[in-house]
Amino acid sequence: MQAANRLQKSLRKREPAFGAWQMLPGTNLARVICRSSPSPDWLLVDLEHGNISDDSMHEIVAASAACGVSPIVRVPEGQSWMIKRALDSGAHGILVPVLETVQDAKNIVQYSKLPPVGTRGLESLLAVEKLVEQHPHGGKVKQLTGAKYAQQANDSLVIAVQIETKSALENVKEIAAVPGIDVLFIGPFDLGINIGRPISSPDQMDPELVDAIQSIHDAAQSAGKATGIYCDTGEQAREYANRGFHMVSAITDMIGIRKVFNQAFTATK
């Protein structure tokens, strides 16, 4: 399982893993994103703010995994049934938004791990296919059995939590120390709003927000955890990667589509 999880391999090597953000449904869109470049390591399937249903999530997870890109599902909330649905689809990891407390972080780990570590129920029939070891352009297939999934899932799936509220920021060191949390992921726009420093321009963040982002990164590093952050552009993503961030988004489908169409129609004038 670990060999098939491209995001986790990068995180364990402490190398930057660049990803794309999908808000619109469709497996064709997922494949276009994943095959747009050799660079995408992960695809975020956004169930919190995106227009993606449960069945669409299953299909997008399968499509991105078949492209050799790790599907990561952002669940709407940290509820046990939402986490279960995401992981049972075969997602290589989850991103949980709106974290508030240390207990929230502990609950997320509990819901994500199989016994005896956690309380997640086992149903691997749909999940195993998305974690086979196979080069996306052919080669020998190393199948994964349900028994092996059960043995390896706790150590092979990425658990990322979003630090985007004032409460989570205040408790960030304690949250980072929770066993089983792999990534502290920063949602800069929500974090800015929640601490009273909203972003008017990504290139002109308030100094207090800049300091908050750095404090989250420092807490993650001190705890031996990875740091992630949402970015709108590849240039922003490279900047944060150069600063030691690990799980970094480079583009969102809706932003990218709007930008390309705008460029095309501007060129017609």
Side-chain angles (χ1 to χ4, degrees):
M1 284 180 64
Q2 291 175 348
N5 193 331
R6 185 167 168 178
L7 172 61
Q8 190 190 60
K9 286 193 294 185
S10 294
L11 295 179
R12 292 199 167 184
K13 293 177 182 178
R14 285 295 183 262
E15 297 175 349
F18 296 104
W21 209 274
Q22 184 168 345
M23 300 183 70
L24 301 175
T27 55
N28 285 330
L29 176 59
R31 282 188 284 267
V32 167
I33 293 170
C34 291
R35 291 174 174 157
S36 63
S37 163
S39 297
D41 296 300
W42 52 276
L43 178 68
L44 193 288
V45 187
D46 192 353
L47 302 189
E48 183 191 17
H49 292 307
N51 180 29
I52 297 174
S53 63
D54 186 84
D55 57 345
S56 292
M57 171 194 71
H58 274 264
E59 293 171 356
I60 294 169
V61 165
S64 57
C67 292
V69 175
S70 287
I72 307 298
V73 174
R74 177 159 77 166
V75 295
E77 294 181 2
Q79 296 184 28
S80 60
W81 72 270
M82 295 179 181
I83 291 172
K84 181 191 299 184
R85 291 298 297 168
L87 294 179
D88 282 359
S89 76
H92 292 189
I94 54 170
L95 176 60
V96 182
V98 200
L99 199 71
E100 294 282 358
T101 66
V102 174
Q103 189 58 51
D104 287 343
K106 291 180 178 179
N107 289 343
I108 290 164
V109 174
Q110 185 85 356
Y111 301 152
S112 304
K113 302 288 188 181
L114 297 169
V117 180
T119 58
R120 178 189 166 201
L122 174 65
E123 178 47 79
S124 60
L125 290 177
L126 291 171
V128 293
E129 185 216 358
K130 288 80 175 184
L131 287 152
V132 299
E133 295 178 39
Q134 179 187 17
H135 190 279
H137 300 297
K140 185 178 180 181
V141 177
K142 186 177 180 181
Q143 296 288 356
L144 180 70
T145 66
K148 287 185 178 179
Y149 180 92
Q151 293 167 1
Q152 300 174 21
N154 284 351
D155 294 326
S156 300
L157 303 176
V158 175
I159 301 176
V161 295
Q162 284 191 231
I163 307 298
E164 57 182 352
T165 67
K166 186 176 181 181
S167 175
L169 179 62
E170 292 170 349
N171 295 294
V172 68
K173 291 182 180 179
E174 292 78 11
I175 291 171
V178 172
I181 297 296
D182 300 304
V183 183
L184 300 186
F185 196 94
I186 302 165
F189 291 94
D190 276 316
L191 180 61
I193 291 172
N194 283 313
I195 66 172
R197 297 293 184 269
I199 297 174
S200 57
S201 168
D203 299 323
Q204 295 179 339
M205 290 186 185
D206 187 276
E208 186 175 335
L209 177 56
V210 173
D211 290 343
I213 290 172
Q214 186 61 46
S215 70
I216 296 167
H217 182 49
D218 292 343
Q221 287 195 310
S222 296
K225 306 297 175 67
T227 314
I229 190 165
Y230 174 89
C231 296
D232 279 334
T233 68
E235 291 79 9
Q236 292 173 7
R238 171 44 61 187
E239 178 184 344
Y240 278 104
N242 290 341
R243 290 168 54 184
F245 285 66
H246 308 97
M247 182 182 176
V248 189
S249 69
I251 192 167
T252 297
D253 55 358
M254 291 187 67
I255 293 174
I257 291 169
R258 183 185 299 116
K259 183 182 295 185
V260 171
F261 272 72
N262 176 268
Q263 290 172 346
F265 281 105
T266 300
T268 68
K269 296 179 181 179

